Amino acid sequence: DAKTTQPPSMDCAEGRAANLPCNHSTISGNEYVYWYRQIHSQGPQYIIHGLKNNETNEMASLIITEDRKSSTLILPHATLRDTAVYYCIVKSGTYKYIFGTGTRLKVLA
Amino acid sequence: EAGVVQSPRYKIIEKKQPVAFWCNPISGHNTLYWYRQNLGQGPELLIRYENEEAVDDSQLPKDRFSAERLKGVDSTLKIQPAELGDSAVYLCASSLRGTGTGVYEQFFGPGTRLTVL
């Protein structure tokens, strides 16, 4: 599975959009991009996933570049409760997630 | 719908003592995972079960760690004897399936924070 690179930390003002980047330059054609987040003292929580097209659900939007070498998770209106570590994972249809160290997002009041 | 349940939430033991963690997955989920998460790191897979069969235990330190999933539902992860380096959060997760062409998100429990003194 492809390796991902994320910035270690980011800040975002409450109510503004949070844009979390992820580089996955070695991604292969059948590999999906997944995003999970982990709020303090909780287990990781699924947010969204995509293959080629941009995706949106009630939590977030996922923008994948045309060459699929990078993606951005967008939280449109960040709240204090979105403060968490966000993990970008690239994997194929197998079960194995390989978590990196993620991006620690702090939403500021 | 109840989520993945783990107990205890916290455990403090002295080195060389045994310890066990329990996990109850989401009803109907065939696949169960145990992860270990060290401070400041992402979770790392220890073992995966498909029903009652351990299909990937390649990352489980078998000299001191053991796991079981009787009847393909609840699971227990044991460490005997514990070492200082075992201090971590132990996470259990479940999913409908582990492999295949579908995309099966994993649902995680809150974890057990183990401190070995």
Side-chain angles (χ1 to χ4, degrees), chain A residues 34 36 38 41 43 87 93 95 100, chain B residues 9 37 48 56 98 100 103 106:
Chain A
Y34 289 74
Y36 278 69
Q38 188 171 22
S41 296
Y87 295 101
Y95 65 93
Chain B
R9 289 296 313 276
Q37 185 171 23
R48 174 175 73 100
D56 183 359
V103 174
Q106 295 183 17

Side-chain angles (χ1 to χ4, degrees), chain B residues 10-21 79-84 86-87 113-117:
Chain B
Y10 304 91
K11 188 73 176 179
I12 300 174
I13 61 172
E14 294 189 347
K15 62 181 181 182
K16 301 185 182 180
Q17 294 299 306
V19 65
F21 315 122
I79 308 175
Q80 182 171 13
E83 297 179 352
L84 295 177
D86 296 330
S87 294
R113 182 177 297 276
L114 174 67
T115 301
V116 182
L117 303 175

Side-chain angles (χ1 to χ4, degrees), chain B residues 28 31 34 36 52 56 72 88 92 100 108 115:
Chain B
T31 308
W34 282 103
R36 177 169 58 189
E52 61 274 1
D56 183 359
C92 179
F108 287 79
T115 301

Side-chain angles (χ1 to χ4, degrees), chain B:
Chain B
E1 175 183 288
V4 176
V5 179
Q6 291 188 248
S7 68
R9 289 296 313 276
Y10 304 91
K11 188 73 176 179
I12 300 174
I13 61 172
E14 294 189 347
K15 62 181 181 182
K16 301 185 182 180
Q17 294 299 306
V19 65
F21 315 122
W22 176 79
C23 173
N24 179 241
I26 292 174
S27 176
H29 281 192
N30 299 326
T31 308
L32 184 145
Y33 315 77
W34 282 103
Y35 289 83
R36 177 169 58 189
Q37 185 171 23
N38 293 314
L39 189 64
Q41 303 295 315
E44 296 176 317
L45 182 70
L46 291 174
I47 189 169
R48 174 175 73 100
Y49 281 91
E50 291 288 345
N51 299 304
E52 61 274 1
E53 182 182 1
V55 295
D56 183 359
D57 61 356
S58 57
Q59 301 302 312
L60 190 72
K62 297 181 183 64
D63 56 337
R64 297 182 300 106
F65 285 66
S66 64
E68 61 182 10
R69 190 184 185 196
L70 300 176
K71 300 182 181 179
V73 182
D74 295 359
S75 178
T76 302
L77 178 69
K78 298 178 181 178
I79 308 175
Q80 182 171 13
E83 297 179 352
L84 295 177
D86 296 330
S87 294
V89 174
Y90 291 83
L91 293 159
C92 179
S94 69
S95 67
L96 281 171
R97 285 181 60 186
T99 59
T101 56
V103 174
Y104 301 101
E105 67 179 275
Q106 295 183 17
F107 294 82
F108 287 79
T112 297
R113 182 177 297 276
L114 174 67
T115 301
V116 182
L117 303 175

Side-chain angles (χ1 to χ4, degrees), chain A residues 8-72:
Chain A
S9 64
M10 294 180 64
D11 290 342
C12 177
E14 188 178 21
R16 305 296 295 269
N19 298 288
L20 292 92
C22 179
N23 286 324
H24 32 78
S25 58
T26 60
I27 193 170
S28 59
N30 66 342
E31 290 184 314
Y32 288 81
V33 180
Y34 289 74
W35 284 84
Y36 278 69
R37 74 179 182 184
Q38 188 171 22
I39 295 170
H40 183 62
S41 296
Q42 298 183 21
Q45 174 193 24
Y46 168 83
I47 301 173
I48 198 167
H49 73 276
L51 183 62
K52 295 180 182 178
N53 300 320
N54 298 337
E55 301 288 344
T56 296
N57 63 21
E58 64 278 3
M59 288 183 69
S61 294
L62 174 61
I63 308 298
I64 303 174
T65 58
E66 192 169 345
D67 63 7
R68 302 205 329 118
K69 292 185 177 182
S70 66
S71 61
T72 301

Side-chain angles (χ1 to χ4, degrees), chain A residues 10-20 73-79 82 105 107:
Chain A
M10 294 180 64
D11 290 342
C12 177
E14 188 178 21
R16 305 296 295 269
N19 298 288
L20 292 92
L73 178 75
I74 301 173
L75 308 179
H77 306 287
T79 70
D82 293 322
L105 175 70
V107 179

